[in-house]
Amino acid sequence: MNCLRLSGAGHKSSRGFSLVELMIGLVLGLIIIGGAISVYLASKRSLTEVEQVSALSENGRFALQLITTSARHIGFFGGANPADITQDSELGSVEPGKDCSGNAGVWDTDNSFFAVRAAGASVLTCITDAVPQTDVLVIKGVAPSPEYDADPDDPDAERDGLFSFPDPNGLNPLETYVVSNGESGVLLDGADTPPTVSEGGDIPFGVAWPYQFQIYYISDGTLRNDGVPTLSRMILGWNGALRTVITQDLVQGVENMRFLFGYDSANAGEVDTLGSLADVTAANAWDRVSSIQAFILVRSDVADPNYVNDKSYQLGDLAPITPGDNFRRILLQSQIVMRNPRLVLRGEA
């Protein structure tokens, strides 16, 4: 009898789950799995957002850094006034059909800084893929990496009037230079015979500064066939034996750019007005601008179907923009002080 009881007790303890218990277990398991999936999806969305916002911030700051670095050198031609710079008789021409038009001409140093607004894809004839209603910034000047006839920090260095420091081979034949001495200057190709810079020479104590031509604008992506708006720049380049204007794509995702300008509206030597591109153009005051407020709107590379951008962004004098699409964006602003024009304005006060 005792054996039978033990056998019955063992049989009872080995029973499986009832149908009700199984259903409850399945429901609880589904709840746990659903919760885990929800946490995973939320984490993934959060990670996507963090990555996109981080990339937007990084791209935007890099774009502003590029513009700021160029803008801070506005008005610098090695000490010479841009209007006092002449062209060397052997200065090569720009490839036909590639030079920019009007005041944006490559060799036009009189108009070394100004901005225009793109009415359509074609701007200044050399740009064919601009985003309409975005600002285009034209900057001409020299790079702060000069060539000397001798080490300027060595009073005993031999000075023969030829450029041999820091590069003993002389001027780079693939560069264009402004040779200036603070009073006058000449624009020439590095492959041509430079003016003498010895005492009593063509440009006494002159220094050769690499010439830079830059036009910042927002490209619409048609030339790249990707449709992604990008901060681009027109610069001097080569096409065989001819100088030409080529496009550099700098930062993807920059879809709008606007500027405000601090300038001397009364021509009294003091900055008194913060105006738009149209204001400065109407006042013919580009030579009296000494600061820039730059606004750029940067969007993510890809759309996020789980996100709707209903934010409003205001860039300078532009009416607020509310995209209403699935792209994340960030608006960045920078105040740029143009040191050289400010020194000129203060000197005239």
Side-chain angles (χ1 to χ4, degrees):
M1 294 294 292
N2 290 338
C3 291
L4 290 175
R5 291 193 189 96
L6 289 174
S7 176
H11 177 72
K12 183 177 181 180
S13 63
S14 64
R15 286 187 311 163
F17 292 108
S18 68
L19 181 60
V20 174
E21 291 172 330
L22 179 61
M23 294 300 293
I24 293 174
L26 288 174
V27 170
L28 292 176
L30 290 174
I31 292 174
I32 294 173
I33 293 173
I37 292 174
S38 298
V39 171
Y40 168 76
L41 292 177
S43 299
K44 185 176 180 180
R45 284 195 295 269
S46 178
L47 179 61
T48 299
E49 180 178 356
V50 169
E51 287 180 341
Q52 288 188 347
V53 171
S54 177
L56 287 174
S57 179
E58 183 178 351
N59 288 348
R61 294 184 186 282
F62 180 60
L64 280 179
Q65 182 181 357
L66 290 172
I67 296 171
T68 298
T69 300
S70 297
R72 282 178 175 166
H73 291 94
I74 287 173
F76 180 61
F77 280 86
N81 189 316
D84 295 332
I85 296 173
T86 61
Q87 295 181 21
D88 182 71
S89 59
E90 298 180 1
L91 182 65
S93 61
V94 181
E95 181 182 4
K98 295 296 184 179
D99 197 358
C100 300
S101 61
N103 295 340
V106 168
W107 305 138
D108 182 2
T109 58
D110 285 354
N111 298 284
S112 59
F113 161 66
F114 64 95
V116 297
R117 184 154 296 160
S122 180
V123 185
L124 303 173
T125 69
C126 56
I127 299 173
T128 60
D129 60 337
V131 174
Q133 298 306 310
T134 60
D135 286 356
V136 178
L137 189 66
V138 180
I139 302 173
K140 306 167 197 173
V142 296
S145 52
E147 292 284 335
Y148 303 89
D149 67 334
D151 185 353
D153 296 325
D154 183 1
D156 299 323
E158 181 180 353
R159 287 167 169 77
D160 55 8
L162 302 176
F163 294 106
S164 56
F165 183 86
D167 187 349
N169 296 319
L171 302 183
N172 184 346
L174 299 180
E175 288 274 9
T176 302
Y177 294 87
V178 171
V179 179
S180 66
N181 61 2
E183 296 180 358
S184 62
V186 60
L187 185 67
L188 76 157
D189 283 328
D192 297 333
T193 302
T196 57
V197 293
S198 57
E199 186 174 1
D202 300 323
I203 300 182
F205 309 109
V207 178
W209 304 83
Y211 178 67
Q212 289 187 320
F213 169 87
Q214 303 172 91
I215 301 181
Y216 287 92
Y217 75 103
I218 306 301
S219 64
D220 59 15
T222 55
L223 297 182
R224 299 183 304 275
N225 296 316
D226 60 10
V228 178
T230 299
L231 175 66
S232 300
R233 177 172 62 184
M234 308 299 292
I235 62 168
L236 276 177
W238 285 94
N239 184 10
L242 288 175
R243 286 284 190 190
T244 191
V245 176
I246 61 175
T247 304
Q248 281 185 332
D249 294 320
L250 302 175
V251 183
Q252 278 194 333
V254 181
E255 68 176 3
N256 208 330
M257 178 169 63
R258 288 276 177 134
F259 299 102
L260 295 177
F261 303 92
Y263 67 101
D264 173 17
S265 63
N267 202 18
E270 291 292 336
V271 176
D272 55 18
T273 303
L274 180 65
S276 67
L277 181 157
D279 297 330
V280 183
T281 300
N284 193 25
W286 289 111
D287 60 342
R288 303 197 301 275
V289 174
S290 67
S291 66
I292 302 174
Q293 283 189 14
F295 302 82
I296 61 171
L297 184 62
V298 190
R299 78 166 207 200
S300 55
D301 292 337
V302 295
D304 184 351
N306 297 310
Y307 172 78
V308 176
N309 191 338
D310 55 2
K311 299 178 181 178
S312 292
Y313 306 90
Q314 183 160 8
L315 290 77
D317 62 326
L318 182 65
I321 301 171
T322 304
D325 56 17
N326 304 114
F327 289 96
R328 287 187 174 82
R329 288 172 174 81
I330 186 171
L331 173 62
L332 295 175
Q333 174 186 353
S334 178
Q335 179 77 24
I336 306 170
V337 176
M338 297 157 52
R339 180 175 178 272
N340 300 294
R342 175 161 290 192
L343 290 176
V344 172
L345 284 176
R346 290 181 174 178
E348 292 177 350

